[in-house]
Amino acid sequence: MELLSPRVRLLFARQAPEAPPPIAPLFPSRARTKLATPPAVRASLHYLRTGPDTWLAAGDGRIDIADTAEPDRAIAALCPYANPQLVFLLAPDLRPLSVRGDGMRGPAISAFRLQTEHPAILRLRHPLAPRRFMGVTQDGQGAPRGCVIFDSLGQARLDLLESVELKPPSLPRSFHIAAAELCEAAARPLHAARVLDLHYSGALRPEFAEAVIRVLPRDELAVLARLSLERPVDLTLLSTAMPGDPWFANILPALANWQGARLPVAGGVLRSPGSDEFVADHCEGAGQPQAGLVVTALARGHLAPRRGACLITAARNEGPYVLEWLAYHRAVGFEHAFIYATDNFDDSDALLQALGAAGVMTLVHNQAGARCTPQNKAYAHALRMLPQLLDFAWAAILDVDEYFTFDTRLFRGVEDFLAWHETQPVDSIALCRMMFVAARGEAWRDAPSLVRFPRREKSINRQVKSMFRPRKFWGAQQHFPHATLNAPIVFRSESGGMHHHAGVADRTPALAASPSANLAWINHYSLRTAPEALWKLACGHGDWKGETKARQAEMAAQVCRSFVSLADSHDLVDDRRIQACAEGMEAELAALRALPGVAQAEARVKADFLSRLLRMTAAFVEQGEGGEEPASFGPFRDVLVRMRK
């Protein structure tokens, strides 16, 4: 090598393989940071003014506002020169902070900076929620007046912040060390592997992990999700760095363990305690998505399904109907059902327990939380926490009074229908509903709903239900799913056209632009007979949780009005097409009843149900009109009076 020119020697030196780095322990001691002088901070530092005389300041665990920019409390906005679109908000003493409307808590709150026309005015956007900005609340915005919050404040211009430059020497040495770490981690290009390497080497302290992870580009978040599934050591690093984050500490490791074993879904009985309700916070509007949720949702998208279609339902006191509903959908090709049961008092728990133990469905005992409806908690748990759901290519969210129906001249079942749709790109399919009704004086009898109620409204209901690919969605409401990180999806109608896309602003995905039921639809047996409608009122609805008594009375009145209106309607047609779909239903019913304990549990449920119907009807009729009862109760009571005669 001595005979080579310096330039050639340099070329060889660049091509020589590097020696493998030594294996470093997780989070080694930070003795190297004890410098005589603090490191240079390669960033601009600012105080943020929220009004003429108010500033962002560190409060008791939260970012609040203060009347003065006190050096020991004023929030410092760190804008790295290497990536000026990023902002890290830190307290001078690096105390843990949080912002209302954001699930993150740590010494650094990260955000994206959006510059305005004025060089000193900026907006701070949430890294994982593009339409949410930091601002100060006014009256009627879901928080007390004067709170710092991440929310959709842009239209009111409450999210404009004025930056006032501050001098670095006014900050303590520990702040400079932390700022240098963040600047190094935020340097472009931002890569997931580089962030992990900084943690392995100890160059980035664990408490900054979430602040840096949530500003990674979307593609790099997907890389981090894949690495978490493929490399247990990386997942251990993340869960150790963020032990208080249930996504990194518990849910993502459970997903990785399930992927490693990948046993066939064989039913069973699970429990979702009330403490699981945090999974629905984002769906319930209680906060913006956390980094752990995003990485977990993207990791779920990496798992390939092995089976066809399944059902998800939230059921409460549906004992008389659940067996026929399950048998019908098994007959048309659904391979499994995930049933979330909440606070049943109709003896149906024993029936569901027997079905779950036999492996024909998965029962999840869904304990309601304090701040979200059981229904929303069930959907969030299924799409964010339940690994078994990912074994299925398609999922349909249907209530126990909703039946998937199709044109038997074109399809033999749900598998054929989905195969036809899969001849073009599709992620979700909207199915319109047909509303089936009973005659005024009809009473309950022990027969399937599809036999008892052949009449329906002539018009097709605009509200839809959806079938979708579960690995592409991180949440749902009862009518449609929510795409992970609001990614573009293909949402088609039952006939193959476009149902909805991001450019549609005049309606939500819950409504069809032009209702159709040509190839497939939903038979909806919502109210059934008058005594059964009364039973529905007594049981309550998942959407009623948290509503005032006046609002619940109004919703109950609507049920009564709907029943009387539909029962008296002359615009009804006879529609028995579902019976052609149900050719294998009786065989499925017989097979289910032959399972241990199922027939006995079903008999007890129906006997108890009939007894309750008689007692409830008598009590409602004898109560009579009076008090503050809604006016619509009168005509509905008349129906029950005539039935008793």
Side-chain angles (χ1 to χ4, degrees):
M1 293 288 290
E2 294 298 330
L3 299 177
L4 299 178
S5 67
R7 184 172 181 176
V8 174
R9 289 203 304 271
L10 179 61
L11 179 62
F12 271 91
R14 286 177 178 172
Q15 292 177 342
E18 297 181 1
I23 298 176
L26 291 180
F27 314 128
S29 64
R30 303 188 52 79
R32 65 178 185 79
T33 63
K34 296 180 180 179
L35 306 176
T37 57
V41 177
R42 297 182 177 87
S44 61
L45 291 166
H46 304 267
Y47 290 141
L48 295 177
R49 193 200 305 265
T50 63
D53 299 307
T54 56
W55 306 75
L56 288 187
D60 186 12
R62 279 183 174 159
I63 295 181
D64 288 321
I65 57 175
D67 296 335
T68 59
E70 300 175 11
D72 60 337
R73 287 191 60 213
I75 294 296
L78 177 77
C79 302
Y81 293 142
N83 201 340
Q85 71 173 358
L86 298 185
V87 174
F88 296 99
L89 304 180
L90 302 94
D93 58 0
L94 301 180
R95 71 180 73 175
L97 299 170
S98 64
V99 179
R100 291 175 176 85
D102 187 12
M104 180 183 174
R105 178 175 174 81
I109 303 295
S110 53
F112 286 131
R113 181 174 70 167
L114 301 181
Q115 195 65 51
T116 64
E117 295 178 358
H118 194 287
I121 304 298
L122 53 84
R123 303 166 73 191
L124 299 184
R125 178 171 70 80
H126 193 281
L128 302 174
R131 299 180 183 178
R132 298 292 185 264
F133 296 86
M134 181 181 289
V136 180
T137 58
Q138 298 296 314
D139 292 332
Q141 289 184 302
R145 182 184 179 90
C147 289
V148 179
I149 190 171
F150 268 117
D151 207 343
S152 53
L153 299 164
Q155 294 180 352
R157 300 182 65 81
L158 301 174
D159 54 3
L160 298 181
L161 303 172
E162 181 183 358
S163 61
V164 179
E165 188 172 0
L166 66 92
K167 296 181 179 180
S170 64
L171 295 167
R173 178 179 157 281
S174 59
F175 181 95
H176 286 263
I177 296 172
E181 292 182 23
L182 288 170
C183 290
E184 174 67 18
R188 290 175 177 166
L190 272 173
H191 292 311
R194 182 167 171 271
V195 172
L196 291 172
D197 287 343
L198 289 173
H199 280 293
Y200 277 124
S201 66
L204 185 66
R205 63 189 71 183
E207 53 264 36
F208 289 155
E210 185 174 2
V212 176
I213 287 173
R214 72 181 199 162
V215 296
L216 288 172
R218 164 70 188 273
D219 291 345
E220 290 301 313
L221 285 170
V223 170
L224 184 63
R226 178 176 54 79
L227 292 175
S228 299
L229 291 177
E230 296 176 354
R231 291 167 48 93
V233 64
D234 290 342
L235 183 54
T236 300
L237 176 73
L238 293 172
S239 60
T240 306
M242 293 167 280
D245 186 318
W247 301 100
F248 284 120
N250 302 315
I251 301 173
L252 193 54
L255 178 65
N257 292 337
W258 179 82
Q259 180 205 25
R262 201 65 188 266
L263 299 174
V265 177
V269 179
L270 307 175
R271 294 190 179 276
S272 174
S275 57
D276 282 350
E277 69 175 346
F278 71 89
V279 301
D281 280 351
H282 176 219
C283 299
E284 291 272 336
Q288 312 312 326
Q290 297 172 257
L293 164 60
V294 171
V295 174
T296 301
L298 293 172
R300 290 173 69 91
H302 282 294
L303 302 183
R306 302 183 300 187
R307 300 175 67 182
C310 69
L311 296 162
I312 305 170
T313 191
R316 184 167 186 261
N317 299 320
E318 298 283 1
Y321 314 110
V322 68
L323 201 66
E324 66 178 72
W325 179 84
L326 184 61
Y328 171 83
H329 285 100
R330 286 170 62 86
V332 300
F334 285 91
E335 298 183 38
H336 200 74
F338 297 91
I339 298 181
Y340 285 76
T342 304
D343 299 332
N344 291 320
F345 55 77
D346 66 343
D347 290 337
S348 59
D349 279 345
L351 174 59
L352 296 172
Q353 196 91 9
L355 291 168
V360 296
M361 54 158 273
T362 297
L363 168 63
V364 184
H365 288 289
N366 182 37
Q367 183 180 350
R371 60 180 183 268
C372 71
T373 66
Q375 196 172 54
N376 284 348
K377 176 174 175 279
Y379 302 154
H381 182 275
L383 290 164
R384 296 178 174 184
M385 285 187 70
L386 194 65
Q388 295 91 325
L389 182 65
L390 300 173
D391 224 21
F392 298 88
W394 290 89
I397 291 181
L398 298 180
D399 295 336
V400 178
D401 57 6
E402 295 172 330
Y403 289 65
F404 171 76
T405 318
F406 53 91
D407 188 338
T408 54
R409 298 171 299 178
L410 302 174
F411 310 114
R412 293 170 297 176
V414 66
E415 185 178 0
D416 284 357
F417 174 70
L418 293 172
W420 178 80
H421 266 282
E422 287 172 342
T423 58
Q424 59 181 339
V426 60
D427 300 309
S428 186
I429 305 167
L431 302 165
C432 290
R433 298 191 295 185
M434 303 281 204
M435 308 299 289
F436 283 75
V437 301
R440 253 181 175 262
E442 192 170 350
W444 177 78
R445 59 190 175 95
D446 190 3
S449 298
L450 57 91
V451 175
R452 290 198 288 147
F453 309 113
R455 300 186 311 153
R456 65 168 175 85
E457 283 186 299
K458 187 175 182 180
S459 61
I460 303 171
N461 194 286
R462 285 190 69 194
Q463 286 190 330
V464 304
K465 303 298 289 222
S466 302
M467 301 179 66
F468 54 92
R469 301 182 188 271
R471 67 193 190 97
K472 292 196 172 186
F473 298 88
W474 66 355
Q477 51 119 293
Q478 59 180 325
H479 296 291
F480 62 91
H482 305 296
T484 301
L485 277 177
N486 296 316
I489 58 162
V490 180
F491 200 164
R492 298 195 178 276
S493 66
E494 50 87 26
S495 56
M498 290 302 298
H499 166 68
H500 204 272
H501 56 81
V504 177
D506 62 337
R507 60 183 171 84
T508 73
L511 301 176
S514 300
S516 65
N518 301 315
L519 306 183
W521 58 94
I522 300 295
N523 274 22
H524 191 195
Y525 303 97
S526 176
L527 300 178
R528 298 184 172 98
T529 65
E532 289 167 280
L534 184 62
W535 169 255
K536 190 166 188 173
L537 287 178
C539 294
H541 190 276
D543 291 340
W544 296 11
K545 179 181 172 64
E547 297 286 355
T548 63
K549 289 185 177 181
R551 175 60 179 154
Q552 291 188 26
E554 179 185 338
M555 298 167 83
Q558 179 60 41
V559 171
C560 295
R561 281 194 299 270
S562 297
F563 178 85
V564 174
S565 174
L566 289 173
D568 291 344
S569 175
H570 297 289
D571 197 17
L572 301 176
V573 296
D574 195 79
D575 187 347
R576 302 173 188 265
R577 289 176 293 175
I578 191 173
Q579 296 182 20
C581 303
E583 287 184 351
M585 178 178 171
E586 287 300 326
E588 286 289 347
L589 268 174
L592 292 176
R593 285 172 177 151
L595 297 173
V598 171
Q600 298 87 336
E602 183 194 24
R604 286 195 301 271
V605 164
K606 289 185 174 180
D608 178 73
F609 178 65
L610 179 58
S611 173
R612 286 176 183 267
L613 284 187
L614 295 174
R615 296 198 308 271
M616 287 173 54
T617 301
F620 187 74
V621 169
E622 292 167 4
Q623 171 187 327
E625 298 184 11
E628 299 179 359
E629 175 181 278
S632 60
F633 277 21
F636 180 71
R637 181 180 283 107
D638 291 342
V639 175
L640 294 171
V641 170
R642 293 192 183 95
M643 288 182 62
R644 294 189 75 197
K645 293 180 180 179

